[in-house]
Amino acid sequence: MATSEQLHKRRLSAVAKGVGSVVDAYVDHAAGGTLTDVDGREWIDFASGIAVTSVGNAAPAVVAAVREQVERFTHTCFMVAPYESYVAVCERLIELTPGRFEKRAALFNSGAEAVENAVKIARHATGRQAVVVFDHAYHGRTNLTMALTAKNMPYKHRFGPFAPEVYRAPVSYPLRDGGLTGAEAARRAIDVIEKQVGGSNVAAVLIEPIQGEGGFVVPAKGFLPALAAWAKANGAVFIADEIQTGFARTGQWFASEDEGLEPDLITTAKGMGGGLPIAGVTGRAELMDAVHAGGLGGTYGGNPIACAAALAAIETMRMLDLNAAARRIETTIRAALTDVDQGIAEVRGRGAMLAIELVLPGGEPDPTRTAAVSRRCHEAGLLTLTCGTYGNVLRFLPPLVIGDAELERGLGILRRALHT
Ligand SMILES: *Cc1c(COP(=O)(O)O)cnc(C)c1O
């Protein structure tokens, strides 16, 4: 079998350089919270393929469901010849998402595609064009979602021109906005929206309840409800992008539930598919059904194999109570990071979506140390990811089924990497 080194050589002359990887180890197999590379080295997984394998890698129920489906039929295109599992995934989405109102759902392949479609639906339903997004936001890498995403490098640099009618407002970032309350931060954002866009032009206010790639920024309490209330008062659609936060990751089915939010539309992807590519837009029936027949879709959206995987993943989350597991993981990780040094400005996040922000003595971001800690984790066999506009946030996204021993072992590696 080829070694990682050999595979890496082949990669350099075959795979475009623009596609990066966090580590140079090539995966052979994975299970639960562990990856094993082709050199036989084990990695503790604090990445979950970016918050995807919440039910564990190659989760038995997902594997069985995929196997059963792939033998029955692989693809018909739901727009050509429909099948039950697509309907069943939509039923699960309607049931699990917050919002005590009549809902509909539609399925797509990726998070970016779900966000694009949520914007399409909001624009169609309102007859308006402007979309309000926030500082540090991440919504994807397609043309529209690049415009919605805040950070230039690496996501947008030299990839313009970007889609028009996208407006950016300041977010609530308690560590870096002087500790504004949620209400104050919302007032500041609403001021920008009203002055620079005009309430009657806004089709949608689109926000991650906890920012993902932007640095696991948790807004101050009250920020999200104030924005949602403003959207409602102004006839704009409030869209929660729960692609990273959704499906038990934060210890609830959706992070919006934490403040009793009932978003008009919710985008989901990542964890919902148990490792297969699937995404959804779920929300108010009158918005979703406003679009003319044939206006939404795509060849692979809600592919039967991905739907089978999603149904099995969601059932696994329910059976194993992975919401409770996420909350237990939070307790364990926070306990391991209590005696951290002053270089760590904050441990933040919710459930199994936690991060530390590393700073220099004056409070300036410290991306150099962040990269060094990350490298030391990788050298010791712990797969971690960084994030944040300033590249100074280390984030932890273990599979929710990670064993206590694996979690403790991973945290031991992390603590040593932080203290050297
Ligand atoms: C990952 C992510 C996306 C994009 O999803 P893809 O499947 O990579 O297209 C959009 N929004 C949020 C919040 C994400 O974390």
Side-chain angles (χ1 to χ4, degrees), residues 50 109-113 115 138-141 208 212-213 241-244 269-270:
I50 318 186
N109 301 294
S110 67
E113 212 188 331
V115 172
Y138 181 86
H139 298 292
R141 294 169 176 267
E208 301 153 88
E213 309 304 300
D241 181 348
E242 293 242 20
I243 288 167
Q244 193 154 161
K270 294 203 164 106

